[in-house]
Each structure stands twice: as structure tokens, then as C-alpha cells.
Amino acid sequence: MSTNPQWKSFQPPDTMNQDSAIIDFKPMTSNGKASQAFNFTNRSTSNSRFGQDFPLLQDKSSSFGNGLYGSSSTTHTNSRFPIGTFSLDSNNMFNSSGDSTLTNNVFSNGNNSSYNDSNSSNLGTRETGIIEKLLHSYGFIQCCERQARLFFHFSQFSGNIEHLKIGDPVEFEMTYDRRTGKPIASAVTKIAPEVVMSEERVTGTVTTEVRGEGSGGDTTGRISYENRGECFFLPYTKDDVEGNVTLRSGDKVSFQIATNNRGNLGACHVRLENPAHPVKYQGVVCSMKESFGFIERADVVKEIFFHFSEAKTKEELRLGDDVEFTIQTRNGKEVACNITRLPSGTVIFEDLKPDILKGQVLKPLDRGPNARHQTDALPGRIRYRAPDHSEVEISFGDKDQRGDFTLRHGDWVQFKVATDRRDGLNRATHISLLDESFLVSGEKREQGIVASVKEGFGFLKCVEREARLFFHFNEILDVDREVVVNDEYEFTVVQDQTSTFSNSRQSAIRMKWLPHGTVQFETRVENNLTGTVMKEIPPTTWLNRSPTKNQNGEHTPESGLIQYQVNGVKKTSAFYSKDCDMKHYPRLGDKIEFNINQVKRNKELIAVDIQVVQPATQTNGIKHRNSNNGQMYQGFVAALKDGFGFIETIQHDKEVFFHFSNFEGDPNSLELGQEVEYNLGTRGNSGTCSSAENVKIIPKGTINLPLVIGDVLDGTVVRPLRSVNPDQTEYSGLIRIKTEDPDEKPMDYEFGIMGLVNKRELLQVGDHVQLQVDSTGRAANIVAVRKKLRATVDAIKGHFGFLAYEVEEGKKLFFHMTEVKDNVNLQVGDTVEFVLVTNHRSGKSSACSVVKVSDVQARPERLISRLRTVSLDDAGPRLTLLRQPKGPDGSKGFSSEARVVHLPGIVVVE
């Protein structure tokens, strides 16, 4: 009997194994296990599920109907023996012979009787204890309320002794043995805890189903299980079944065995393991991971786990699929099995009411980082007025908005009411934002146009902001509208919740679509004005409209400048290519008509609707010809670099960039000062310089140069050409003439590339020059007066080389082959004469105007290579000459007589 799992926790150790100690007291330390395991004082008022008696069917050895495990609710628990009733004083309660004497006449009758009629001397005080030992016809009880161990005979047990086991709790009365006078237990009855449950789970089969309360059937079912070859039937109720499942006859289940306060056995924590007739359930796949997912069930508001291996479909399951499945319990958890796909729309969770209601948001959804910790499935709240004019609050979740746009407290929305078929709960759905919400909230609304669209997000060009504004597609109120570039929207600007402290990005929310033409970036200020173009936009910008980047990294188009008069007051206004007629774009000096607008974001006044009224006469340096390439310009080659160059205009006021790919001919034939003609190109620009195309050389003298008159003057360069100093804004250089009279104002003369006698001369600030002045008042025949230096060529490397002249410690002086006069072929060791030039921008020096002075007979290459490898380290071994060589006769070298002339073919015999 002790092997029954339900009692395994009630087996105390056998601390007393001697039968002679039947009535001896043993000093024992109470561990409190008995009082913790059983609540004897409250057992009569137990709230256990097993409040009713569970009859144990087909147990031939038990008789529950005879009250074998009867209730002990009639026990007088308040009149029990108090702890310390039996006191152990110095005289000892028991003498050496085993006889006992009670010091305070605890028992009034004082008569001793044998255990056969011990009930006759019962004092009426009941105690509790635990069966400690069972022998052939008697046993021992360990008292729970005091340290005592009492003998009892099986004849004193009121019940089937076969049902009594070690560890069973019992109730008894203490009396004395009539023959020996020792205390013994009498009127022993078995009691049970409120619920004693086995730790092990057992398996069984449902034999009787639980009927519904309204069907008039039995609300208690039966489960059969086998133990030691014997079949038992345990009762269970609906509350004992785990999960929202209905057990059917023949289902295989697992459960735990428990007893109620009457000692009756029953099944609890029943789990369905293998249904005999699987029940089909329906649901919708609501989430999927790598190899598993979850299905939202249609019968209860609950999700159930499934593994991909349980899908019995040809194609893989997808989110939103309607499915049918069975439920099995594995490892104590319900899982969906045998999953099959249903036609779309089969599973319906809710009934949607057709009425459209209007309400106000009391609690919006949390879209911030804390949203993931939200435990409420429907955290949102909307208040609306019911048909009976009462105020009603209704919940909504994150799937009930028509879009994921931001809702705020106090927003007015329209919605419909959906009733869940599973639990009858109402919720708001199909929620859309009403325009009057913006009036109620008083939030500032801005306007803009979609500038670019990415995957799921984009950027807006705002009316009142310089920078582009980020937005996410979720914030579009009209979820059915596709976002495209140039769409116009009205929106609210907030701090982006996803941005960090260091990246305080703003974004647009609650975006409402506007009809095309609603958003205006400018407002009209003045109409019908006339003016003159003072600064034109480079033609490259007209044709390709390629913007440049400002200091903030944003693209801004280049602008032109218009001068006009209003009421006699001269004014200027910028204009851009977007406001001009591309077929007749304004040139420098053109008379135009235009209007004035003010840009809203920066209050700038700009000219718009520009129309050319009278083109300016372009004759100086321009050939008017009807060609496919447009107007032809003329100029001079001012600079040549690696792969590109610059042309000085015929007005000498600016330079035009050109690439060698746009030169008609061999670029190697180009020289500084050559006369060329070209078109203004359409491929973009380089900085502030225009781009030339179709560049070709024209015969020398085609462009008439002004006559050079006057005496030779001495001057100093105060401003170089822009090719020497690209940082300056003016293209032309400037030379100041020295005057003997300090009170006289010095004269300044501009010069260009054609004013230099040596076109490769790099004149810098402070250089002394000699010059003449031409008929137009510009400097001509400019010759630099510089100190000539000499050095030898140290190395030649392709198109450049180095001179043996140190300008910095350990560095040789650089020169380019183009600086060598008459393209003379230089070699290592040649002596050259040059001019030292220092670039004030980079601080680097180079040799210019290199002239070969003399040739040096070069050593053979083998000697040069050997000299380069000779070590100059004095620490190495050296050869020292100790004695000069002498001839045989003691003289230096060999004597003349020692050498004999040998004739060919004759052998000299000595």
C-alpha cells in the first residue's frame, strides 16, 4: 500500500524500530512536516474542488458507503490536548520499570483498562497523529501536537485496516492500558488532508463524457486507468480539464491523482494527449517565424502554436491564410496539427455593423519604444454618443485604423463597430481621421511637395523650410493613394521618435493629400516690370539645369541678376532658369519683362515669368551664323593642363573651360596664346567657369590685336592671372607702374595671356616686369625681370625632372618639360639656367624658363650605376696603401728597357 504515489510524501523515517518501546517516550525533534502537510484545524471547511464524494468503482477491498473514510468534521478541535499537558519533571513521568504516574491527576477516573476495552475509559479528548509503524496486529502513532509515540491495536481502528498505511494521518483518543497503565491510542480513525495530489502523471482513457449543465446529464465524467493489473475509474469535472478542449469518449488523456477531504480519489489537471475522434478547428495564420508560427483561433480569443511540418498543403502557408487544424497536447502545451488550407474568407471572427459612428479619441495608441511592452490587446479608447444619447467608451487596437497614422488625444474620428463572435466583445474598427481634428487640436499645419520617394519613406520639399523633411508612408491618411513625386500634402511636423539625441531629426505626420496647384512656394508682389540682365546664368545651367551644392550640402540652382526701376528707384532682383523661356533665355544686356514674387521660406524677392523683349547686340568676339552649334565665340588658349585647358575670351575678362575631347585636332599641337573659336557647351560647368565645345584653332591674325605704343615701363605685379591664383575672382592680372614722385598716384594696367612675351611665364605678386601699353590701355610685351640661377639636371622622369638645387632640406627642385626652352632634350648632368618660382597658394617652388647652357659628357651607365651603389659609410673596412709600388731596379714603375717591342709572328728567345 505504501507504493501508492499519492502518499509518497507522507512517509516519515522509521526512528523507532524496537517493539519493546511501545509506551516509552522518545525525545524527538519536531520538524513541522506534519503540520505543514495537513491543515487539520480547517479541514472541515475546505474549499477544494473535491468537495463531493468520489465513489471508487470496482474496488472490491473498499467500502466508501460505510464511511470508511468518513468526514472528521464533528471533531472538537478546540478541546484538544494543549501542548505541555504531559510535563516531564525531575521525578520523570515513567519509572525504571516502565510504570507511569500522572502527577496532576489529569484523568479523573484513573482506572486502567486493557486495549480490548480501552474505549470504555475514553476521556473524550481527540488528538491527531501520523501512522509511524504497522506490524502484524498493532502499530504506533507519532503525535503531531507533542513529542509522544503511542501504541494502538488494530482492533481500535474503526475501518478497514487494509486501507491504513504508514504516513496516513489519523485522529485518536489517548487512554491507558488496564494491565500496564501505559498510555495508548484508542478510537483511531483515518483522516485525510484537504487535497493530496500525486506528483507523477498517469495516462488513461475517457469512458464517460461530461454533460452540459443544461442537458440534464451527469456533470461528472470518468477516466479509466490501470494500476498493477487492476482497472480503476476516476471521476473528473469540466474544471479539471486543462485548456479549452472538450473530452470525448475514447480520448487518451494524462492526469494527476488527487484525494478530497473525505479521502476519495479523483483526476485533476487532465490533458488531452490523443483524441479518438479529432475535432476540427479553424483559424487564420497570424504570424510566422523561421520554422513555426501562430494561428489565431476562430473558437476562442487565443493563438495556438504550429510547426511548418504539420502543414498538409502542397504550397507553403502564408500570412493571412484561412486554415483548419486539430489540437494535440505536447509537453503540456496545445499545438495545432494536420493543418489544411481553407478558401479565403471562410473564417470570420467578427460581425461588422453597417452604421458609421463619430467619436473622439480618449486614449490613442502608443507608437513609441514602449509599444512593444503593451500587454493590453485593445489599448485605445474612443468615446461616442449612442443612439439613446448616452456616452459610451469603446476600445480599439493597432489593426483597427485605416492606416498606421498618428492619432492624438481629442481627435475626431469616424469608425464602425465590430462584434467578436468568440466572446461577444465590441470594438471600434475602420477608424479614419476627420478634418475637424486639426481645428480642435490647434496644431500648426504646413505644406510641401514630395521631392523624392524611397522604399517605404520619402522626403518633402517644404514651403516654410530650407531642409528636406522626412516622412514615412504610414503617415498618409488616405491609405489607398500611392505616393509619387510632386504630390502635394498638408502635414504636421514633429520630432522623430526614432531619432537619437545626437540626431534630432524631424518628420512629417498626419499627411493629407492636396489637389495639384494648392501648394505655393511664392507670393506675387509686383507685376509687369521691365529691366536689363546684368548677370546671366551660364548656358550649361540653362540646358541641363544641374544645380550646385551650397555649404549645407543641399543643391541650389545658379541665379542671374536683373536691374530695374520702380518709381525712379533702382532695384535688383535674382532670377532662375525655371522662370525663363528656354527657347529664348536671357543674355547679358537683354531687355526683359518680368514679375516679382517673394519666396515664403526666406522672404527673397525673385523675378519670374521672364520674357526677352529686346536682345542685346553681340558683335565683339562673336560670329553670328546660322549653324547647328549656335553662336561661335573666339579667344586665346590661356592654360593647358593634363587633359583639359582654359580659353581667354576676346574681351579678356574671363576664361572658358574646355576638355581635350572637345578639341577638333591633336591636343598635343595646342600652345599657349593660340587663337581658337568655340561654342558654349551643354555638358555642365566647372566651378564658376563656362564650358566650351567644338574648339578648333584658327589662323594666327584672325583676331585683330590692339597696337602696342609707348615706351618700355618698369612695374610690379600686384595681382596675377587667375590661372596662377584660382582663389581670386578677377581673371585679369594687374601691374602697377613705378613712379619717381611719391605724391603721384601710381598707374595700374590689366593684362592677360596675350600680354606676355613668354606665354609660359608665371607672373606672381611682387615680380618685377618691363612692359608697354597697347591702344586699349592694357599691358603688353610683358617681360619678367628675374635673377637667373644655374644648376645641373639631377634626374629625368618622363614629362618632368629635378635639378640639383635644394629649396627645402633634402628635396631637389622640380621642373616640367614644358618649361624647357625650344623643347631641348635634357640629360642628367646638363647645366641649365632657370628662374625660381614659388606658388603662394601651395607654398611649393619649381623651376621655370629652363634654358640649357652646356652639355656634360655623361659617364657610361655602368659607372653611374656603380657609383650609386658605392657606400659612403666610413665605419666599414677600408684599404690603406702602406708602400708605393717599385720596379725591379728600385724605380717607380717599369723602366723603358724592361719593355721590348714584339713583332707579330716572331718569338723572342732570351
Side-chain angles (χ1 to χ4, degrees), residues 110-211:
N111 295 326
N112 296 330
S113 60
S114 65
Y115 52 77
N116 290 324
D117 57 353
S118 61
N119 288 336
S120 62
S121 61
N122 188 359
L123 299 180
T125 301
R126 310 265 308 165
E127 294 186 49
T128 57
I130 297 176
I131 300 297
E132 185 184 78
K133 193 170 186 180
L134 292 174
L135 298 176
H136 184 267
S137 60
Y138 59 92
F140 292 91
I141 299 174
Q142 174 64 48
C143 298
C144 291
E145 299 177 358
R146 58 192 174 93
Q147 294 184 358
R149 183 172 181 264
L150 299 181
F151 166 88
F152 79 98
H153 194 270
F154 286 175
S155 62
Q156 295 296 315
F157 181 68
S158 58
N160 190 342
I161 198 62
E162 296 294 331
H163 292 168
L164 193 63
K165 299 176 295 298
I166 294 176
D168 281 352
V170 293
E171 196 173 51
F172 60 91
E173 296 178 4
M174 193 195 77
T175 186
Y176 297 92
D177 186 271
R178 181 180 302 173
R179 181 175 57 84
T180 63
K182 294 182 178 181
I184 61 174
S186 64
V188 180
T189 59
K190 181 180 177 181
I191 62 176
E194 295 180 359
V195 175
V196 181
M197 187 182 304
S198 64
E199 297 180 1
E200 301 177 0
R201 295 187 68 84
V202 295
T203 58
T205 305
V206 177
T207 59
T208 305
E209 301 177 10
V210 177
R211 304 298 179 185

Side-chain angles (χ1 to χ4, degrees), residues 4-36:
N4 193 325
Q6 67 174 323
W7 308 119
K8 63 188 297 182
S9 61
F10 306 112
Q11 297 178 5
D14 189 3
T15 59
M16 306 177 69
N17 54 11
Q18 295 181 2
D19 296 341
S20 61
I22 294 176
I23 58 175
D24 290 344
F25 278 101
K26 296 291 183 179
M28 300 179 62
T29 301
S30 177
N31 55 14
K33 291 183 179 180
S35 61
Q36 293 176 5

Side-chain angles (χ1 to χ4, degrees), residues 769-803:
V769 295
Q770 290 182 345
L771 69 149
Q772 291 179 291
V773 180
D774 62 15
S775 58
T776 61
R778 295 176 62 87
N781 295 336
I782 303 171
V783 178
V785 180
R786 288 174 175 165
K787 182 180 178 181
K788 297 289 185 177
L789 303 174
R790 286 197 177 191
T792 58
V793 178
D794 184 72
I796 300 293
K797 297 182 179 180
H799 296 290
F800 60 91
F802 294 91
L803 301 179

Side-chain angles (χ1 to χ4, degrees), residues 305-319:
F305 171 88
F306 76 94
H307 194 273
F308 287 176
S309 60
E310 294 293 341
K312 308 301 179 184
T313 57
K314 295 181 180 179
E315 299 178 357
E316 293 184 357
L317 293 177
R318 295 174 296 179
L319 285 176

Side-chain angles (χ1 to χ4, degrees), residues 449-453 483-488:
I449 296 178
V450 177
S452 62
V453 174
V483 182
V484 295
V485 177
N486 294 327
D487 273 356
E488 301 181 10

